[in-house]
Amino acid sequence: MNSRLCQIALLATRRATLQYRRSLPSIQRVPLRSISHSAVVNEQYLQGYKDSERFHGEYPSRTHYCGDLRASDDGKKVVLCGWAQSSRDMSQDLIFLPLRDHSGVTQLVCKGDEEIKTQIKSLSVESVICVEGIVQKRPEGMGNKKQASGQVEVEITKIYCLNPATPSLPFWPNGAQLPNEEVRLRYRYLDLRREQLQHNIRLRSLTANTVRNYLSEHGFTEIETPTLFKSTPEGAREFIVPTRKRGQFYALPQSPQQHKQMLMAAGFDRYFQIARCFRDEDLRADRQPEFTQIDLEMSFIKIADIQNIIEGMVTSIWDKALGQTLTKASFPHMTYNQAMREYGSDKPDVRFEMKIADIRQDVKDILDETTSMDCMVVKDGARGLSGGDLKAMQKSLDLTSDFAYVKVNEKNLETWPMKCGALRYSQQVGGKELNAKLGVEEGDVVMIHKRDKYLYGGNTTMGRVRLHVSQLMQGKGLLKLDEEKYKFLWVESFPLFTPDEEGKRKWQATHHPFTAPFDEDIDKLAREPSEVRGQHYDLVLNGMEIGGGSIRIHSPVMQTFILEKVLELEKYEYKRFDHLIDALGGGCPPHGGMALGFDRLMAILTDSSSIRDVIAFPKAAGGKDFVVNSPSAVTTAQLNEYGLSLSSSDS
Ligand code: ASP
């Protein structure tokens, strides 16, 4: 636009603004909209709204954030904007008014000016104001060390009340007492004003930028993929989206997996996206039906290339977000089998030892070919685990007679196997030998569990016991976690297939059906799928899986074979992957990738106990959104448009 046009546009805008302002008095006189009884109940807190105190007009531009002022600013004229807190009358002529914005709190002070005093008195907490004032260094010893701007106060010369808050807010974000989470989720915009949540969401943004910068510097292209996708049997349950074409549906993507593979076929050999994913799964404590992944894919690479990129990216995140240095040694590797045998988990928490020993060879006479014996020694367990603790554990973990434990004392030091469940039937087991092998001492508790020799799934019974016991022992100060706060671990060489627990089919993909087998295991695909290892790797941090990925199948023939013959998908099901099979057959390079769960990563970086604390608008348990009150019903007319109807038992 040339400057003349700019001026005309500016004048027009000013005229419109003036007209708007002239019309304001009449707006102010309009009574509150009439609301129904139920709306009153829902919106009760809006009552008592003091609109007449609102300032309409131009207010000065902010010069500083509340948390930025320092003693060196003494004497400066400043303009601050923020949320008014509770004022405190110190005397007739001295009122303090803390003002908060995201950066901190500044103490405003009124020293006797009657007009300002009256204005302060009428301000309700959380009203949005702008103030002009003069910075004054507080007298020696009168500073507030807890506040960044605590060495100064600002004497108010003028207050503009930009938007008075209702005096009956459901809670004050700065209040000492917060209501339960449901109320805080309903009024999320208030809760988000809290310092902790402000920090979390801002750190999330910084982390997303770090990821973008790192990946862009390493030759990745950020590409968006569709949200309205198609129903394909990739693994998780999908959200289905009806359309106005009867019987035709989209599905929301459970991840951009298929699109990112097609992008490899398209020649974008380093792709990434901070992608929103949707899975309609049981909402366990810390899962969300919609979540975010840092998703990437690369062509012409090996597992180590992907792991190097991820390690570099995570190192850069730790540096920017926490100021901590990670090195190559921060990322050790372990096979799935070792993880399951020694920690009873495919995401082992290696911050503490308490490893599980396989004592099959020592008690072979009581086992058959298909079973094995796990043994775990809880050091000092006799002090840490009461009879009640152990009983409660057996109940909560649903432990059967295959599990047993014994407290080792002076008397049974060498004979304890005779008192320990199935071990008593072994003719070969020797207490002395086991003690030497496992380091058993008086005061320990020894636990055993007879399990299937074939390891599959996410954990073993002893693995769950290990975590439970570690919590109890930590609670009593008898088990200390490693000093290093963040313990990463690559877990790799997973079995490509896992027995299908629903029993519909024999096998399901351990990661997803696009994961490539180890080259040397390919000929077992048809004969013995249970022995095929997948080129699949997970990144684990402190016992939590923070990401997973794999080298993909790039042969359309092998991909079809796995879908059809091993996973036994019906024809109509595997035909839904035709787009991918075509892409693989149309000149697709060998490729692989990974996705990191962004929400979980942020929960770890911010030390939050729930991923809800790092998502601006999270869902509550059961997928409920308390802010907008969804999911919610739609009208019959809307349903009709989509050719849908509810059965009578649903309505
Ligand atoms: N799409 C996979 C997932 O969501 C990640 C990957 O294999 O890249 O778990």
Side-chain angles (χ1 to χ4, degrees), residues 29-41 43 46-47:
R29 263 182 266 114
V30 172
L32 281 179
R33 68 201 155 99
S34 65
I35 28 189
S36 69
H37 179 67
S38 62
V40 171
V41 174
E43 299 183 29
L46 284 180
Q47 301 310 298

Side-chain angles (χ1 to χ4, degrees), residues 234 254-258 260-261 271 277 279 291 293-297 511-512 514-515 536-538 545 547-552 592-596:
E234 196 178 304
Q254 52 186 282
S255 86
Q257 184 63 37
Q258 296 173 52
K260 67 175 172 172
Q261 290 194 237
Y271 140 95
C277 308
R279 295 186 191 170
F291 58 94
Q293 284 186 345
I294 302 169
D295 191 43
L296 55 88
E297 195 77 7
H511 185 45
H512 52 52
F514 319 115
T515 299
H536 159 194
Y537 35 83
D538 277 354
E545 181 202 319
S550 61
I551 299 295
R552 325 299 184 188
M594 176 145 182
L596 293 189

